Amino acid sequence: MSSGLRLDRLAKTFPNGTAALGELSADIEAGAFVSLLGPSGCGKSTVLRLIAGLEEPTRGRVGWPQTRGSLGFIFQEPTLMAWATATNNIALPLELAGMAKSEARERARVALEKVGLAGFADALPRELSGGMRMRVSIARALVADPDVLLMDEPFAALDEFTRGKLNDDLLRLWAERRFTGIFVTHSVFEAVYLSQRILILSGRPGRLVADIENPAPYPREPGYRTSAAFNATARDILDALEDVSTC
Amino acid sequence: MLMRGLRIILPIALFLGLIRFWEWSVVYLEIPPFILPPPSAILAVFATDGASLLGSAWTTLGTTLAAFTLATVSGTALAALFASSRIAEAALSPYAVILQVTPIIAIAPLIIVWVGLDNAWLTVLILAWIAAFFPVLASATAGLKAVDPNLRDLFRLYRADFRQTFIRLMVPSSLPYLLAGIKTAGGLALVGAVVAEFAAASGNTDGLAWRILEAGNRLQIAKMFAALLLLALMGVVLYAILSFVEWLLLHRWHGDRRHA
Ligand SMILES: Nc1ncnc2c1ncn2[C@@H]1O[C@H](COP(=O)(O)OP(=O)(O)OP(=O)(O)O)[C@@H](O)[C@H]1O
Ligand SMILES: [Mg+2]
């Protein structure tokens, strides 16, 4: 299942007068994997929060096909409940939706296996490494089978090696579930590796300055990272970013 | 492990050494017993006046525990109210602060008038409760405000209602704060109870404060020391129990909350 959405001249000015986001319009197809790229402070997180309904737009709207699709959100930090085991953290969205505890935890265990943490069902967040916590966070975002998965620089704090592995995990899960993925990142290379399409925002207030297709087929193997096709797309993005002033 | 052993052995050795020194210097320097009695004389008091002292300690302990329980329940409840309603917080928190900054010894006469001299124990209870109440309120409020904003967003995203958010998010995140406040409140309830006994209850209750006053008037300094000893003991045991409860509830995830 997945759901497309339309950003319709979406703009946000915060009560303190900060114009975070200019006017952003984009159609995002169901099942697409799209990255948002741009300088720090240009409103990327704000876009995700607007889509998630955690913030109200000042102007414009987020359009859904009929009703708002179900959402998963992966924050930059793992954002786990420190007092709850990995399983219970992952079961949270299901339990909040009213699913019986036993069933929710059973599904959480399956989700935990999918992110390669089968042996850590009863581990507390502090007993896990940074990368493992992020996996728990991914499993939690996916456990309720969301139509749309919003990701806000989820791997920014991780080392290159872990990051690469999690990129592959993410692509594998996306291939399985076909959710609509919206991925915010600072890394040009991560954006190219993951996405079908890259939206580049200008400095504050954020505006769309480029909309770049990445035609490379999936599944993308690690070898893709050093291919000529990869470099060509990365070059396009770097050129577009050149024109973007920093905030 | 060695460090742990030392942490227990060193204070005990120091304590025993000091007692020896005290006993010795009182005898050697010929300090009169109505200035500083030797430890042996203080111990002897428990043989003669033990029953009355323990009875008084029982009274004070009862007041302390009752005030502590009241403070914990009411402080937590008020903090929960503040967390659920900004209006309630804006309206009520100044009064909580006023109650806190006014010395209880100064409120005592007023409470006596309101409650009546016949109900001295109630006066003491109210004053001890006021003394212990604020740290619970303040720490629980701080804890409820310290909830990770991202987790809060997560709960909103999954459309958790207030009850779910409160029980699953706010209570556990604020627990370390609350328990720190409760630990302080235990000690303050004891201090409050004794101060209130001094201020309000001369002759009307038989708490330890009254024993101390009585002994002072009769220059029974050894008995005074014995009463002080009991008070200190009560305070330490209370603190130890509360620390243990804190450890029980938190040790699995304490100390590393920020990285989660
Ligand atoms: N709640 C808020 N109140 C006021 N200003 C805000 C608020 N949230 C964000 N801003 C401002 O809006 C602008 C855009 O913020 P946003 O977090 O969307 O940027 P970003 O593109 O995600 O940046 P980064 O890449 O550094 O995460 C920033 O200047 C920020 O200071
Ligand atoms: Mg951001």
Side-chain angles (χ1 to χ4, degrees):
Chain A
M1 246 207 313
S2 74
S3 155
L5 58 139
R6 156 177 290 176
L7 309 181
D8 188 9
R9 282 171 292 155
L10 202 58
K12 177 72 185 180
T13 302
F14 284 101
N16 67 4
T18 309
L21 189 64
E23 279 193 0
L24 179 62
S25 294
D27 266 316
I28 296 173
E29 285 165 47
F33 201 112
V34 179
S35 283
L36 282 178
L37 197 63
S40 183
C42 69
K44 303 182 296 294
S45 298
T46 305
V47 173
L48 293 193
R49 295 175 58 80
L50 287 168
I51 295 174
L54 294 171
E55 214 86 67
E56 284 300 314
T58 316
R59 290 187 309 281
R61 55 187 285 277
V62 178
W64 299 94
Q66 290 107 22
T67 54
R68 188 186 100 169
S70 66
L71 296 172
F73 204 125
I74 306 178
F75 297 89
Q76 181 164 349
E77 308 290 318
T79 313
L80 303 176
M81 299 179 287
W83 53 90
T85 61
T87 310
N88 291 353
N89 263 295
I90 296 171
L92 179 79
L94 301 175
E95 288 180 12
L96 287 178
M99 187 184 282
K101 257 195 176 111
S102 54
E103 195 190 343
R105 303 218 165 145
E106 194 41 51
R107 287 211 200 175
R109 244 183 292 278
V110 174
L112 201 59
E113 268 163 39
K114 285 237 160 98
V115 294
L117 288 178
F120 295 89
D122 297 321
L124 288 168
R126 71 177 174 87
E127 296 160 347
L128 301 172
S129 73
M132 291 157 108
R133 284 181 209 156
M134 212 61 230
R135 284 171 203 260
V136 174
S137 189
I138 294 172
R140 177 182 60 193
L142 290 176
V143 73
D145 227 336
D147 303 328
V148 178
L149 182 60
L150 306 170
M151 296 161 274
D152 194 355
E153 303 185 44
F155 310 139
L158 302 175
D159 62 273
E160 203 57 40
F161 180 76
T162 313
R163 190 176 186 155
K165 258 193 85 47
L166 287 176
N167 282 170
D168 289 331
D169 287 350
L170 185 59
L171 283 184
R172 185 174 45 76
L173 290 165
W174 176 66
E176 254 172 50
R177 308 280 190 95
R178 282 292 157 165
F179 49 81
T180 306
I182 305 181
F183 190 93
V184 167
T185 177
H186 276 138
S187 160
V188 173
F189 304 103
E190 191 172 47
V192 175
Y193 187 67
L194 294 175
S195 349
Q196 297 173 308
R197 183 178 168 199
I198 297 111
L199 303 178
I200 295 176
L201 299 185
S202 69
R204 195 171 52 231
R207 278 169 206 285
L208 190 62
V209 294
D211 185 342
I212 294 169
E213 294 287 331
N214 180 6
Y218 296 85
R220 292 177 181 171
E221 309 292 334
Y224 171 58
R225 283 200 174 95
T226 48
S227 68
F230 183 93
N231 278 329
T233 311
R235 169 96 343 247
D236 287 350
I237 294 176
L238 288 169
D239 285 345
L241 280 172
E242 206 131 279
D243 307 330
V244 170
S245 59
T246 48
C247 290
Chain B
M1 209 51 224
L2 181 71
M3 220 20 235
R4 248 192 123 132
L6 283 180
R7 266 170 193 283
I8 297 169
I9 292 166
L10 276 181
I12 293 178
L14 182 67
F15 177 74
L16 292 176
L18 281 175
I19 296 283
R20 288 300 290 269
F21 177 71
W22 176 357
E23 183 87 36
W24 172 82
S25 50
V26 168
V27 175
Y28 185 77
L29 299 174
E30 293 175 9
I31 299 173
F34 55 86
I35 301 285
L36 183 67
S40 55
I42 296 169
L43 214 59
V45 170
F46 284 105
T48 53
D49 294 286
S52 100
L53 276 176
L54 285 180
S56 295
W58 187 246
T59 305
T60 303
L61 184 65
T63 319
T64 301
L65 293 182
F68 168 72
T69 309
L70 273 180
T72 300
V73 171
S74 57
T76 311
L78 197 59
L81 178 68
F82 284 2
S84 63
S85 155
R86 286 237 175 106
I87 294 177
E89 178 176 13
L92 293 177
S93 62
Y95 294 96
V97 173
I98 290 171
L99 210 58
Q100 202 261 331
V101 297
T102 313
I104 55 165
I105 198 123
I107 316 176
L110 184 63
I111 306 284
I112 295 172
V113 170
W114 282 349
V115 173
L117 263 180
D118 312 336
N119 291 324
W121 65 272
L122 187 57
T123 306
V124 175
L125 179 64
I126 291 173
L127 290 170
W129 167 64
I130 292 174
F133 164 76
F134 196 76
V136 179
L137 173 67
S139 62
T141 306
L144 289 170
K145 285 200 170 136
V147 175
D148 177 357
N150 279 337
L151 272 177
R152 212 185 264 280
D153 282 345
L154 192 80
F155 274 70
R156 269 178 66 201
L157 185 75
Y158 291 119
R159 305 186 171 165
D161 56 33
F162 182 78
R163 217 191 91 247
Q164 288 173 320
T165 310
F166 190 76
I167 294 174
R168 286 168 173 270
L169 178 62
M170 292 164 92
V171 169
S173 345
S174 60
L175 202 59
Y177 295 80
L178 177 65
L179 289 171
I182 284 178
K183 227 162 58 170
T184 316
L188 279 181
L190 180 61
V191 172
V194 175
V195 169
E197 282 174 4
F198 273 122
S202 347
N204 289 309
T205 72
D206 66 342
L208 273 176
W210 176 240
R211 290 284 158 265
I212 291 174
L213 275 179
E214 190 185 54
N217 289 338
R218 298 177 193 165
L219 276 183
Q220 297 170 320
I221 306 301
K223 192 171 168 192
M224 241 166 129
F225 269 93
L228 285 177
L229 190 68
L230 282 177
L231 274 178
L233 210 64
M234 269 159 58
V236 168
V237 170
L238 198 60
Y239 187 82
I241 291 173
L242 292 175
S243 298
F244 180 66
V245 170
E246 185 182 35
W247 178 84
L248 269 187
L249 290 173
L250 297 184
H251 73 280
R252 277 202 76 198
W253 54 279
H254 201 127
D256 206 16
R257 293 178 305 113
R258 251 157 302 138
H259 296 289

